[in-house]
Amino acid sequence: MAKQQRLGYLRYVEGQDEKRLREMTLVRDLQLAAERGQLSMVYQPKIAAADGALVELEALMRWQHPEFGFIPPDEFITLAESAGLMSQLTGWMLTTVCRQLAAWEAEEGLCLAVAVNLSAQDVIDPALPQQLAQVLATHGLEPARLGLEVTESAIMSDPETSRRVLADLSQRGASTAIDDFGTGYSSLAQLKRLAVRQLKIDKSFILKLEQQSDDRIIVHSTIELGHNLGLEVVAEGVETEAARALLVELGCDYLQGYGISRPLPAAAVVGWIAAYPP
Ligand code: C2E
Ligand code: CA
Ligand code: CA
Ligand code: CA
């Protein structure tokens, strides 16, 4: 019995070691992932609820590791943050997205807007607004072409500094959204003081909207709250026609989800737009 317990413990320790080894390998490889061409951005359409028009694309990062395969961004972004690699990744992402925006315009005549995701570390970086202005100017883009999404929990990890950085960004003409809204415990007082344009309701409230009446109540009151604060409201995770119809009925402004489009590689975006609406 005692022996078995010990073996169980050993197996547990081994599992932990494997996890740590994977993390250490990923952190090491992440530093070279961009220059080795393993990182890419995919783009997910966001549409207006009222008429279905395309309003923006959200840029999401992808990492194809040569040995471990596809690594989900939730995993490598967390690792990058704890290893101090985030500003490097964000810098690569901003350049890639701005270059893509300029290319769509020059090559396809498409003047698109893209929203990018910022991490908790980005939003407390006082150098970020200047860095953003720089990369936009380099590619000849107006600030309004680049939306910024910051999670509610990132803002709440340092509300005072985030508030100042967000104010600076919005003063420079950037459009900002609070992402994953409803999961991060911000108070109404804090919300009111933030210079943001949009609330993005977390997909956990949207995915089962048709079946769950409490989700419907939460979504309904969040839309009203947002509108009362003068904000636009976005729903992510719209997978079904029924959810879409319900959100339109509840007065949600913008919709995004697999039911409208999955995130697309840059090369597929032009084709999607040409075929839209289906
Ligand atoms: P997020 O910003 O909340 O992005 C939405 C996530 O939901 C994306 O997952 C997207 O692919 C997924 N999604 C979209 N529509 C649906 C749907 O209808 N149903 C379901 N079940 N899922 C849907 P993804 O691409 O795996 O990204 C996960 C998270 O990683 C993002 O959550 C964001 O927080 C972070 N992330 C991704 N790219 C970046 C980046 O470039 N920088 C930073 N800082 N974070 C990023
Ligand atoms: Ca987002
Ligand atoms: Ca989200
Ligand atoms: Ca999320």
Side-chain angles (χ1 to χ4, degrees):
M1 186 66 197
K3 192 175 172 192
Q4 238 175 26
Q5 259 174 11
R6 237 191 344 257
L7 280 177
Y9 174 71
L10 276 178
R11 220 171 291 128
Y12 170 74
V13 170
E14 242 170 52
Q16 285 293 90
D17 280 352
E18 254 166 56
K19 184 166 173 268
R20 278 203 36 140
L21 188 64
R22 176 184 158 99
E23 283 180 5
M24 278 160 52
T25 312
L26 289 180
V27 165
R28 183 199 63 196
D29 295 348
L30 195 49
Q31 308 186 43
L32 295 166
E35 63 189 66
R36 289 182 176 165
Q38 296 163 5
L39 297 181
S40 62
M41 301 304 295
V42 291
Y43 298 88
Q44 187 178 33
K46 186 193 281 184
I47 64 169
D51 60 2
L54 173 68
V55 288
E56 195 176 61
L57 302 159
E58 177 178 2
L60 297 155
M61 206 183 290
R62 295 290 177 261
W63 182 18
Q64 190 68 33
H65 188 277
E67 186 186 334
F68 299 124
F70 173 76
I71 316 289
D74 280 324
E75 181 178 2
F76 72 80
I77 298 285
T78 310
L79 285 176
E81 288 212 288
S82 53
L85 296 173
M86 203 56 229
S87 73
Q88 196 185 318
L89 275 191
T90 301
W92 175 86
M93 180 267 285
L94 290 173
T95 302
T96 305
V97 167
C98 288
R99 196 184 290 144
Q100 185 63 62
L101 276 170
W104 277 324
E105 193 165 359
E107 291 157 23
E108 315 287 343
L110 286 170
C111 184
L112 300 170
V114 168
V116 298
N117 292 283
L118 297 178
S119 77
Q121 274 165 25
D122 298 321
V123 78
I124 55 163
D125 179 358
L128 179 79
Q130 179 54 38
Q131 187 194 349
L132 257 170
Q134 187 87 54
V135 67
L136 285 164
T138 301
H139 294 88
L141 301 166
E142 293 293 317
R145 299 282 293 282
L146 199 65
L148 307 169
E149 301 190 359
V150 188
T151 63
E152 187 183 21
S153 57
I155 294 171
M156 293 323 291
S157 66
D158 185 346
E160 214 27 63
T161 314
S162 318
R163 191 184 62 75
R164 266 185 279 123
V165 173
L166 287 170
D168 188 351
L169 288 167
S170 103
Q171 210 147 40
R172 293 169 189 255
S175 164
T176 50
I178 305 183
D179 206 348
D180 298 359
F181 187 72
T183 62
Y185 310 104
S186 56
S187 72
L188 284 178
Q190 282 160 328
L191 200 55
K192 229 183 79 184
R193 298 178 59 216
L194 289 175
V196 295
R197 193 165 120 192
Q198 292 182 340
L199 288 187
K200 201 165 179 183
I201 305 173
D202 189 64
K203 60 177 177 289
S204 58
F205 302 105
I206 308 292
L207 290 172
K208 295 194 207 81
L209 200 59
E210 307 102 280
Q211 296 100 297
Q212 306 269 8
S213 64
D214 46 351
D215 282 351
R216 224 150 43 225
I217 293 165
I218 292 169
V219 169
H220 188 184
S221 35
T222 306
I223 293 171
E224 301 229 299
L225 166 73
H227 287 168
N228 287 336
L229 290 170
L231 304 173
E232 299 171 337
V233 182
V234 188
E236 62 175 15
V238 182
E239 295 190 347
T240 62
E241 262 315 305
R244 179 173 175 169
L246 213 51
L247 287 159
V248 170
E249 196 182 303
L250 293 175
C252 192
D253 302 293
Y254 303 110
L255 310 174
Q256 197 181 21
Y258 295 166
I260 294 143
S261 172
R262 294 208 165 236
L264 306 162
V269 167
V270 177
W272 185 88
I273 293 173
Y276 183 80

